[in-house]
Amino acid sequence: MSAARRDDPRDDLSVAREVLTTEAAGLRALAASLGDSFADAVARLATATGRVVVSGMGKSGLVGRKIAATLASTGTPALFVHPAEASHGDLGMIIPGDAVLALSNSGETAELADLVAHARRFALPLVAITGRPDSTLALAADVALILPRAAEACPMGLAPTTSTTMQLALGDAVAVALLTRRGFTAADFQSFHPGGRLGARLRRVRDLMHTGHAVPVADPDMHMAAALVLMTEKRFGCLGVRDADGRLVGIVTDGDLRRAMGPDLLSRRVRDIMTLSPRTIGPDALAAEALHVMNARERPVTALFVVADDQQPVGILHVHDLLRAGLA
């Protein structure tokens, strides 16, 4: 290939599109090939009382590390054991109660031999992901998930590309099937992802809201002179209005004050200028949902009152709380 051709961005785009098209075809073939063996593999992994031990060599090992991480973060205890290290002491990490998920496209990876023998010795469930149904690994496994024949995406057909993409996607399918079986929820997910933006999105409103004396609330008959002092003191830019039963029935915001501005404002009562039926949220809602409610409709708001099932205010959440949490 000439230097001019290598430097042509059009050729780069053509190559990239061909790679993605080839790998997409492999994924479609993989989806069509799934059957009872997949359900059997998931069932065996689900019944493990210990961990799912993932192993593979080379590119399959790199894919295996990601599969193990995905399993662990979605409710299936898992770890990656390097097959070469397993033969030098790390087999001790694999104990009764564990299940083994072994990856090898050829199914003849020599470094997996000791790990496979260890799994057979202790009668551990062994699931294989391989491209050859007649390979040593496939025949030794309790269940073999066979990758369909598909062209590798490199022009020589040698570099693991489509095959590793299929391995990775099949690992994701196993992980999602297992989390579905376990009834894994967003709350469970958050407990495994407490850090970063994802952790913030999965936090609950109750974790971020202000409570007690910090909540700005008043009765409908309060004079606006006193209400303004209270709004200024609480610093949320709003004031919740409770009825005689303690239920939140209205809100006074900076916008309400501007609309009611006049010489008699301080002598008027809260009920005269409040907005009825303010936007609210429950304490068990996700922080991400609170952000959506704040941004919903034609006019975004910067604060939400948090109410219990009986509509009594139990807290308040400001957009700055979401910013500090790394969400907004």
Side-chain angles (χ1 to χ4, degrees), residues 52-58 60-65 67-68 79-86 91 94 99-104 109 111-113 115-116 126-129 137 167:
V52 174
V53 178
V54 186
S55 191
M57 195 71 186
S60 293
L62 296 173
V63 171
R65 290 181 186 277
I67 293 173
L79 75 158
F80 178 83
V81 173
H82 193 286
E85 298 295 337
L91 284 177
I94 309 171
V100 175
L101 177 62
L103 288 75
S104 170
T109 302
E111 291 85 352
L112 282 171
L115 190 148
V116 169
L126 175 60
V127 175
I129 295 179
L137 178 60
Q167 285 180 333

Side-chain angles (χ1 to χ4, degrees), residues 266-306:
L266 298 182
S267 62
R268 297 176 70 182
R269 297 185 184 274
V270 167
R271 68 168 67 252
D272 298 328
I273 71 166
M274 71 180 187
T275 298
L276 298 174
S277 304
R279 273 179 259 182
T280 61
I281 198 162
D284 292 322
L286 292 174
E289 183 182 352
L291 182 62
H292 175 74
V293 173
M294 286 183 181
N295 291 331
R297 306 181 188 178
E298 294 180 359
R299 288 183 297 184
V301 299
T302 58
L304 282 178
F305 278 93
V306 184

Side-chain angles (χ1 to χ4, degrees), residues 38 65 72 95 129 167 170 207 211 242 256 279 313:
F38 179 83
R65 290 181 186 277
I95 61 176
I129 295 179
Q167 285 180 333
L170 189 53
D207 300 326
T211 60
R242 298 179 299 189
D256 294 319
R279 273 179 259 182

Side-chain angles (χ1 to χ4, degrees), residues 82-297:
H82 193 286
E85 298 295 337
S87 300
H88 295 274
D90 281 2
L91 284 177
M93 301 169 66
I94 309 171
I95 61 176
D98 290 343
V100 175
L101 177 62
L103 288 75
S104 170
N105 191 40
S106 69
E108 301 297 340
T109 302
E111 291 85 352
L112 282 171
D114 289 338
L115 190 148
V116 169
H118 183 80
R120 299 296 72 184
R121 175 186 175 190
F122 290 98
L124 307 182
L126 175 60
V127 175
I129 295 179
T130 180
R132 291 178 50 195
D134 58 347
S135 64
T136 301
L137 178 60
L139 296 175
D142 295 303
V143 184
L145 300 179
I146 307 301
L147 303 175
R149 289 187 176 275
E152 298 288 11
C154 85
M156 297 172 291
L158 298 176
T161 47
T162 305
S163 58
T164 50
T165 297
M166 289 192 294
Q167 285 180 333
L168 187 62
L170 189 53
D172 286 342
V174 169
V176 173
L178 285 169
L179 79 84
T180 303
R181 272 177 170 257
R182 297 177 188 276
F184 197 75
T185 66
D188 297 321
F189 199 79
Q190 193 275 334
S191 68
F192 293 134
H193 299 76
R197 188 175 179 87
L198 178 59
R201 293 185 65 84
L202 294 173
R203 293 182 70 179
R204 300 286 175 177
V205 168
R206 67 168 64 255
D207 300 326
L208 302 175
M209 69 183 188
H210 303 265
T211 60
H213 293 297
V215 183
V217 289
D219 297 328
D221 291 327
M222 177 181 281
H223 282 99
M224 284 306 302
L228 283 170
V229 172
L230 185 58
M231 286 180 64
T232 303
E233 176 188 337
K234 301 299 183 180
R235 299 184 178 181
F236 286 103
C238 64
L239 185 67
V241 186
R242 298 179 299 189
D243 65 12
D245 296 320
R247 295 172 299 190
L248 188 75
V249 294
I251 188 172
V252 177
T253 67
D254 291 336
D256 294 319
L257 293 177
R258 288 192 296 272
R259 286 185 288 273
M261 191 65 67
D264 63 340
L265 174 62
L266 298 182
S267 62
R268 297 176 70 182
R269 297 185 184 274
V270 167
R271 68 168 67 252
D272 298 328
I273 71 166
M274 71 180 187
T275 298
L276 298 174
S277 304
R279 273 179 259 182
T280 61
I281 198 162
D284 292 322
L286 292 174
E289 183 182 352
L291 182 62
H292 175 74
V293 173
M294 286 183 181
N295 291 331
R297 306 181 188 178

